[in-house]
């Protein structure tokens, strides 16, 4: 791992050169650094965008699903992704998705599903 002082200076430089919502690749496939613009009393800052890549290294989606801006939030997502009930629920939803027509556009009222 690079020296923390060197990483810190590189991040400060990125904050200065990136445009608002601008992104830069990292050496970890599926992870980008994104510049989040200032908002009210919160100064501009950097975050992490996570967007898994396919076998050829291309992003699966146009934009990532999660922008992480602090360790506490990262740990919260990590806990959710590692929760066995969530994993089982995702598997069941995936099985159901395979049974349904992929172009289904049925609209349903909001239902809270207890897991």
């Amino acid at each position: 791992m690079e020296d923390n002082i060197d990483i810190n200076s590189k991040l400060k430089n990125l904050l200065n050169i990136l445009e608002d919502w601008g992104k830069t690749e990292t050496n970890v496939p599926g992870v980008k650094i994104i510049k989040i613009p200032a908002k009210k009393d919160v100064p501009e800052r950097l975050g992490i965008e996570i967007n898994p890549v396919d076998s050829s290294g291309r992003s699966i989606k146009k934009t990532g699903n999660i922008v992480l801006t602090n360790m506490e939030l990262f740990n919260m997502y990590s806990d959710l992704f590692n929760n066995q009930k969530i994993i089982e629920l995702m598997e069941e939803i995936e099985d159901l998705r395979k049974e349904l027509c992929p172009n289904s556009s049925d609209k349903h009222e909001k239902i809270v599903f207890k897991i």
Side-chain angles (χ1 to χ4, degrees), residues 13-55:
N13 186 48
L14 271 179
L15 192 58
N16 290 324
I17 63 173
L18 284 176
E19 294 184 19
D20 288 351
W21 302 112
K23 301 173 189 177
T24 189
E25 301 285 334
T26 70
N27 61 332
V28 178
V31 176
K32 294 180 181 179
I33 298 173
I34 183 170
K35 181 177 178 181
I36 303 168
K39 184 178 178 183
K40 296 185 182 180
D41 294 334
V42 179
E44 63 186 9
R45 60 207 184 278
L46 296 174
I48 298 172
E49 181 185 62
I50 297 176
N51 190 353
V53 296
D54 62 18
S55 59

